[in-house]
Amino acid sequence: MAQPVSELDYLKMTAWQKFCYKFALFFKTIPIVFLNFFKIKIPSAFKKAGLGFKNIGLNIYYAAKNGDAKTRTSFVIFGFSQLARKQWLRGLLLLAFEVLFILYLSLFGWRYLALFNTLGTKTSGWVVNPDTGIKELVTGDNSLLILLYGLLTIVFMLAFLYAWYQSIKSAYSAQQIVEARHHLPTAKEDLRSFTNEQYHKTLLGVPLLGLTVFTILPIIFMIFVAFTNYDKAHTPPSNLFTWIGFENFVTVLGGGLSNGVSFGLTFGRILLWTVVWAFFATFSNYILGIIVAIMINKKSIRLKKLWRTVLVLTIAVPQFVSLLLMSQMLADSGVINNLLKSWGLIDNAIPFLTDGKLAKVTIIVVNIWVGIPYTMLISTGILMNIPEDLYESAKMDGAGPVKAFFKITLPYMLHVTAPYLITQFIGNLNNFNVIFLLTGGNPALPFGYDTSAGDTDLLITWLYKLISRDNAYGVASVISILMFVLTAVVSLFVYNRSSAVKNEEDFM
Amino acid sequence: MAKKFRSKKRAERTANAVIYIILTVISIVWLFPFFYLVLQSLRGEAGASTLYFWPKQWTFDNYIKLFTDTATFNFPRWYGITLIISVVVTVIQTTIVLVTSYALSRLRFRLRKPLMNLMLILGMFPGFMSMTAVYFILKLIGLTQNLGLIGLILVYVASSCMGYYICKGFFDTIPKSLDEAARIDGASRQTVFFKVILPLAKPIIIYTVLTSFMAPWGEYMFASLIANGDYDYFNVAVGLRQMLQRETVQQYFTRFCAASVLISIPITVLFFWLQKYYVQGVTGGSVKG
């Protein structure tokens, strides 16, 4: 459809044709970007990983082949070689880790790991004790804990493997150093290296521990939950849940009905609105914010500081306050409707937040109110950097202010603030606060859609309701995986094209 | 010629007049909600809204009752909880962000690039979906119920190293020759961090402090899930939204306004005081390309 045209042909086109051409070209590049990703990026990542594993294997092999007794003992007893060679600190740490791991696995971990494939078989409940004839409460398996602790154990095991490899590697290198009659680092020198050569380990240790425990582990957990039937009817501890494969994905992506409710249809509708919302919310704020900034920046305009301060007030006041207040002001019996009625402009209240279509418009408008000041702040400085002579020569050529805006200001701004625009777009895809505090996702959707979904719900607010109200964890996990795919696709596509990430080193 | 000049001047003047009008309208629209908020907080009559604009009875009762009538809605407690959370989160989060940014900006180690990519990917997952897992992890460590406050703080700061972008961008602009000079004089990486980078990083430190202090005041999702409906562990955002539920909004709307004013004033003052650094931070962080 969009065959590349020669420059001459392109210049012959009308403005509308040019627009269509660019539009088509844009969509044509999408598959190419993805193809590149799958053809080049992923294989190269695998290749790198393969090389890494090969190295690890070789290191272990040489340590086993050429290692002396001390090194070889380190294969079983962590840190043995280090202790024997008087590297007390390393040796004790490794040994302590091994002991800790074995204790953890034998006392705690194996029970959960053993049940990992079924997620538990014994339901808790009242069972008659045959000896006494009295009903007793029997605690059964807790699928949730099995899943969580099972994962934790797997993570621990990976860490154990890593420690094992470290123990062997450092034992073998210590052996080599001793054989070559070089100086072996003492515990004191080891410690000092943590403020210098190994400073990154000191700095990143705690942050990465937090990241692993509170972000990575939960995300893996969530991905696993997507393949279980964890919902209201299967909520531990009184009930078990179990693996069901891709059933949840079929529920969300297929159009099947259950109890007259189509989950897939609801998902499609909310997804569409989420994307539409993110688009309008991002670009309305962006363009209007720049226009306001231009107006305030104009040389002959006075009281610049005052105008800016007024706008910045919305950033300074906590957002939830202004949003909750707005939701009250725009309610059917809120102050805006009351004022309009008392001035005789309307007879019946305008359903700003209670009519599905109007509510969507209201939300975007309120979001403009919230968002313009940010863009204004950001663009003020950049606008001053645009060379004045560009405008001068545009004026000479007879371009009006509107044309100058679209031909000079906007392209320049887009070029410079592309990363900001991406983060804004992704942030808006997941903008919980504006929707939840303004409408709570209401009004409700008509029959046939999922009962907890509302007309103005974004995927993220729907997700919140699915979890906090319906306990539909399995389905909710699928939705969040799909949300991840959506954000990843957007960012992958844009990051691939913007130079900002690639040229990181140029900046220094 | 003179005529043309005059008409040009006139066009300029009309343009300015139009801009002034637009800016005035914008200012009114922007200020109106806040003006209304203050007005309603001083209203004596009950009810969620009145048919008239100006209150008929002026009173400070709403403010006083916030602190005396704490049986259902314990506003001072919520305020205290949120303040404690903010202060602790600010200290920890600022430290983590600075440390991570320095490591990623200045130190070169094997896993640097993979780590940055990992954080980029993790940031694309909807944060609170993993909430159940987090909840059970907190339970495992024993940080729910009475210690829910600590749990909440942990959740807020745990992934804060992912917010390194802006700060790292700032560190990247500090000339590397400074570090190298210090390194030649025998300074370790740690000394460089504390003696060279940190003293130059004042603007970005203030920016990080400001944003991490302000964030917990408006955080709703995690706070409401962790409090789990227990009024004693609400933060101000969750508590104030509770005031506006259908059952309570008639009685508590004016008090909600008073509470909002009390929350907004310190944060607004802080913000305007440090506004310069905030602007530097957001503009510095958004422009790179």
Side-chain angles (χ1 to χ4, degrees), chain A residues 144 149 195-196 203 218 221-222 298 300 302 307 312 320 325 329 333 338 369 374 416 464 473 480 500 504, chain B residues 16 20 27 30 32-33 49-50 99 129-130 132-133 136 140 168 183 189-190 217 224 271 278 287-288:
Chain A
L144 197 62
Y149 295 155
T195 66
N196 206 359
L203 290 182
F221 174 82
M222 173 202 84
K298 194 165 186 272
S300 45
R302 283 183 214 173
W307 306 120
V312 167
F320 84 94
L325 182 72
M329 290 171 71
S333 57
N338 282 350
W369 181 85
Y374 287 96
V416 180
Y464 177 84
Y473 292 99
S480 52
E504 186 210 2
Chain B
N16 279 355
Y20 276 123
S27 301
W30 251 256
F32 179 74
S49 66
T50 47
V99 154
M129 181 51 229
S130 37
T132 18
F136 280 95
L140 177 73
K168 175 181 175 288
R183 299 270 298 151
R189 300 271 185 209
Q190 186 174 24
W217 291 87
S224 76
F271 184 86
Y278 182 82
V287 186
K288 217 188 165 199

Side-chain angles (χ1 to χ4, degrees), chain A residues 301-459:
Chain A
I301 296 294
R302 283 183 214 173
L303 301 172
K304 287 188 190 338
K305 217 167 179 183
L306 174 79
W307 306 120
R308 276 186 202 134
T309 310
V310 167
L311 284 171
V312 167
L313 200 61
T314 43
I315 304 180
V317 173
Q319 220 184 58
F320 84 94
V321 166
S322 34
L323 288 173
L324 282 175
L325 182 72
M326 282 288 198
S327 77
Q328 286 302 311
M329 290 171 71
L330 293 166
D332 287 353
S333 57
V335 62
I336 305 231
N337 270 321
N338 282 350
L339 277 185
L340 290 176
K341 267 188 219 164
S342 69
W343 291 337
L345 291 174
I346 51 169
D347 292 326
N348 297 314
I350 302 175
F352 286 114
L353 298 173
T354 42
D355 174 75
K357 286 201 184 70
L358 191 58
K360 288 176 179 169
V361 178
T362 313
I363 289 172
I364 290 178
V365 171
V366 171
N367 188 61
I368 289 175
W369 181 85
V370 170
I372 278 188
Y374 287 96
T375 325
M376 195 264 312
L377 274 187
I378 286 164
S379 48
T380 299
I382 304 170
L383 285 172
M384 289 185 200
N385 289 339
I386 302 181
E388 193 64 27
D389 48 338
L390 278 181
Y391 290 107
E392 296 285 330
S393 52
K395 221 180 209 172
M396 294 276 240
D397 294 342
V402 177
K403 201 160 191 182
F405 175 76
F406 280 106
K407 293 284 171 186
I408 300 172
T409 319
L410 204 56
Y412 187 91
M413 287 293 297
L414 280 173
H415 180 69
V416 180
T417 58
Y420 168 77
L421 213 55
I422 305 165
T423 39
Q424 280 295 300
F425 188 81
I426 292 172
N428 276 325
L429 283 177
N430 293 318
N431 199 331
F432 180 86
N433 269 11
V434 168
I435 304 287
F436 194 75
L437 296 178
L438 266 185
T439 62
N442 294 325
L445 282 171
F447 183 74
Y449 291 99
D450 180 54
T451 40
S452 57
D455 211 352
T456 54
D457 261 326
L458 297 182
L459 284 174

